Amino acid sequence: DLETGYEYLDTEAEPQRLWNIIPLNEEDVIAEPAKVKVRKISRHEVKLVWYGEGALTLEARVRLDKEKPLSYWSVEMKGYNGAEVKELVFPYITNIKEFTNEEIALSNWTGRLYKNIRKTRKSIGRIHQNRPTMQLTALYGEEPSGLYIATNDTLSYGKALNISFREHLTDLKMINILEMGAEKSHYRPTYDFILGTLHGNWYDAAQIYREWALQQHWTKNNRLHSGKMNKWLPETDIWVWNRGRSSNVLTEAADLKEYLGDYNVSVLWHWWHNGPYDDAFPEYLPPREGRESFVKAVAEAKAKGINMTPYMNSIQWGESRKSWKEQNIEQYVARKADGSTHAHVYNAFTRNPITPMCMSQEFWREKYSDLCDTVVNDYGCTGVYMDQACLHYWCYNPNHGHSVGGGNYWVKGYLKLVERIREKTAEQNPILTGEGSGEDWMGHLDGFLTLEGSRERMSGLSSSSVIPLFNAVYHEHAICFGNFGGFTYPPYDEFWPKEFRAPNTETLLPAKYNTQLRMEQARTFVWGTQPMIVNYHAFARKARPVEMRFIKELVAKRKEYKEYLQYGKMMRAPRLENDYTTEIDIAQMSTYGYKTKGTNLFPHRKAVPMLYSSAWRNKEGNILLTFVNISEETKATTFTIDLADMG
């Protein structure tokens, strides 16, 4: 870093070469080039060529930005056998010195922050393989300089970043997934790997990335500002995420709307379909309560101003279904390099796997869009929740008509699916939402279910903490909604075996978990995310009046300041002198836990802040500061903001 004089590399450690070639089969030996030429192209660019006796050569260019402390790394590989080579690692940057009190910010879901990762995990693996939220990573500590790590892919190619740790050293691997085939002998990715200096933390890295990201097509064509989005989504004040028949979902949503008064309630509706969850996909129709009852309940809810997005997994097919064999579904699924599928068992009761379809396949796009057509046009639903959107799988099936392995067919196929749905439901203009968040989907999906504010309830305690990294880049350009916070024990699907149904199913949780609920709602509020209550029931109004008033107050304030909290830019949060960190009870929930471990709640204790804050700038340049106290006592603190930083 020229500005601070900080040296990132341990120059005494043994250097490694800048690349590596990964064969399809581990036992294969590839004749790699052994010589290198280095040539300076200009003051800001250098060219490196690796060559040898064989035909395989690599050519890399590294150039420096003329104004910013960023470097851009590109690569080209020629003369290889495309049937043998699976991946090209470039750049492979080794011997980065460990930072003091090191932190790594990852673009997983809303954002994940790891501290002291060498003590908790030896490797964080391929962080961008299956959830390409953004192409951004930050690595820093107490030193004056950290590292900004990114790629600038605008075409949604499959790729991965691997970060691994040795004693006091860190290695970065940019893994480029190659398009395979005997006819392939030339590879040149359309994107650069970007490495730069970082002064600050994850928020500062987000601002560097944001400058580039706001110029990309997914931001300029985002659904929120396109004028195409059905207005009920941006007008939603709170979500209810309930499961089962309409009497357990829409009736309860109507009760919440009655309690709140003049606020808009929308519904995320799981387990409405005919068949066990995590098993019977995509055989959703007819609804488990029958078409007539379902349609009547939907119409009555809409008359009360309640909108709903029923759940339909957008990529999976259950292998236990008759249709799996009858329609020879295996020919349409995504396959790994060894020919196996990406099948996974979620349902702990049946142990039946569900398998990701290949998004390039017209068969799947027609099947799923027909389901959406029925749910919206025939049943009257005002949207569809497309579960497991924003995922990214590789497919090595040579019969699918797409490039084998690498390529950008996955996202392109998914976007074609969304457009097919919109063609069939154009008159109703339903809201289409997906799981997690992803910049590639911003121009096609209306909203993103981001549950990181409730990570402890979903996954228990971990070595990472949640951060609003995606919000810091894209908040005013994408609607994020949801958390996993609620008042009850987990629900149970009526199609699952009755003997494994926990006696406490959807009953009230102990009061000691109320602070956790307030924490989850506070995170949602200060991150500018649309709030949610999970498994809501009318009894909460009397049983938990303090928490209900707390939620109502947050809903009211969010609506009052929507120009900031939905349409504003996230600024750096005020620095609180004292956030009154206190150890609280944490309930980790498990829908399947009662069968596998004899309980559906795993108790933990965790130290969390009692005070939460954020800062927002609206279109006129005005600043809003938010403060939330989740304790039951008044707290006094002081805070600092940088006026220049706020603009």
Side-chain angles (χ1 to χ4, degrees), residues 64-72 208 211-212:
L64 301 178
D65 194 293
K66 294 181 180 180
E67 299 178 355
K68 304 169 187 175
L70 300 173
S71 60
Y72 303 85
I208 298 172
E211 186 176 348
W212 171 81

Side-chain angles (χ1 to χ4, degrees), residues 549-560:
R549 288 197 300 271
F550 180 83
I551 292 171
K552 186 174 182 178
E553 178 73 4
L554 292 181
V555 169
K557 289 299 179 186
R558 188 179 193 279
K559 186 167 187 175
E560 182 179 356

Side-chain angles (χ1 to χ4, degrees), residues 403-426:
S403 57
V404 178
N408 61 351
Y409 50 86
W410 189 271
V411 173
K412 287 172 67 175
Y414 202 100
L415 302 187
K416 286 181 180 179
L417 168 63
V418 173
E419 292 309 309
R420 181 73 56 82
I421 297 169
R422 295 200 183 279
E423 289 172 6
K424 294 182 178 182
T425 60

Side-chain angles (χ1 to χ4, degrees), residues 228 447 537 561:
K228 300 176 182 178
H537 292 288
Y561 294 99

Side-chain angles (χ1 to χ4, degrees), residues 20 22 86-92 125-129 151 157-163 172-178 187 189 191 193 394 396:
N20 197 11
I22 309 299
K86 181 182 177 184
E87 299 168 352
L88 170 64
V89 178
F90 179 88
Y92 182 12
R126 297 185 171 194
I127 62 176
H128 285 136
Q129 182 175 1
T151 55
Y157 277 84
K159 69 186 76 65
L161 178 65
N162 182 286
I163 304 178
L172 299 179
K173 292 181 181 180
M174 185 65 220
I175 301 173
N176 304 276
I177 313 298
L178 270 59
Y187 174 70
Y191 53 85
F193 175 83
W394 324 134
Y396 289 85

Side-chain angles (χ1 to χ4, degrees), residues 218-262:
W218 50 74
T219 309
K220 293 182 177 181
N221 299 320
N222 73 83
R223 293 283 299 178
L224 181 57
H225 300 306
S226 67
K228 300 176 182 178
M229 182 185 294
N230 194 314
K231 65 180 181 180
W232 75 254
L233 177 59
E235 291 178 356
T236 294
D237 297 312
I238 189 169
W239 288 79
V240 169
W241 179 359
N242 278 27
R243 304 177 186 237
R245 296 170 184 250
S246 58
S247 58
N248 198 56
V249 180
L250 300 183
T251 302
E252 301 291 12
D255 179 85
L256 179 63
K257 184 171 178 60
E258 178 187 288
Y259 170 80
L260 294 175
D262 190 25

